[in-house]
Amino acid sequence: MKAMAQTALSLKGTAELNPSDGSDRSDMSDTSLPSKLLSIFACPGDVFEEVAASPPRLANWLLPTLLVGVASLLLVAAQASAVSGHVDRVSAVAVWVGAFAGTFWSALLLWFIGRVFLKTRFSYWKALEVAGLTGTIVVLGAIVTVL
């Protein structure tokens, strides 16, 4: 009986040192961007933890911002086809500028609120990644609106 208790304690200590339940966050930076874009709906906390733990990545905000631009352009095209039948070049440029300006503005607000009100230090690039990744929610909203 005493040997079983010691074995159980040693196994418990081993499990605490080497968790096999996926709670080890060292491999989180290996998540692909499409996986992050889908995981933002199901478990956004895990995605944000991974973003915080990894170095800044251009693709984490650029691709979602491009998707927001494409979805917004589809939304404008759907509305324009109902009214006049074509989309002006100025409207298309305004949509793209708005997508990027919205992402940068959202990141600036997030960074400012974190610095001033929450007294937390993080880089603007991390705020840009978070704002960009959450842009996938805007993409889903635009797709549902068009349909």
Side-chain angles (χ1 to χ4, degrees), residues 3 8 20 42 58 61 64 68 77 89 104 124:
S20 61
L58 178 70
W61 69 267
V68 167
R89 188 171 292 211
F104 287 120
Y124 175 77

Side-chain angles (χ1 to χ4, degrees), residues 10-66:
S10 68
L11 286 177
K12 182 181 175 190
T14 305
E16 289 174 357
L17 292 175
N18 300 318
S20 61
D21 62 350
S23 62
D24 183 20
R25 300 287 183 198
S26 64
D27 62 341
M28 285 178 51
S29 63
D30 295 338
T31 304
S32 66
L33 184 59
S35 177
K36 286 180 192 174
L37 294 177
L38 292 175
S39 295
I40 199 78
F41 296 107
C43 48
D46 292 344
V47 175
F48 296 145
E49 285 178 13
E50 179 179 344
V51 167
S54 65
R57 293 193 175 114
L58 178 70
N60 280 348
W61 69 267
L62 185 60
L63 182 65
T65 303
L66 291 173

Side-chain angles (χ1 to χ4, degrees), residues 68-129:
V68 167
V70 168
S72 299
L73 196 58
L74 290 175
L75 186 61
V76 167
Q79 291 175 350
S81 67
V83 176
S84 66
H86 69 282
V87 177
D88 294 339
R89 188 171 292 211
V90 174
S91 297
V93 170
V95 165
W96 285 106
V97 169
F100 279 92
T103 301
F104 287 120
W105 178 250
S106 298
L108 181 66
L109 287 178
L110 183 63
W111 176 82
F112 181 76
I113 289 170
R115 283 284 178 122
V116 173
F117 297 113
L118 301 177
K119 308 284 188 217
T120 305
R121 294 206 164 261
F122 54 91
S123 70
Y124 175 77
W125 296 111
K126 288 296 179 178
L128 189 61
E129 284 185 80

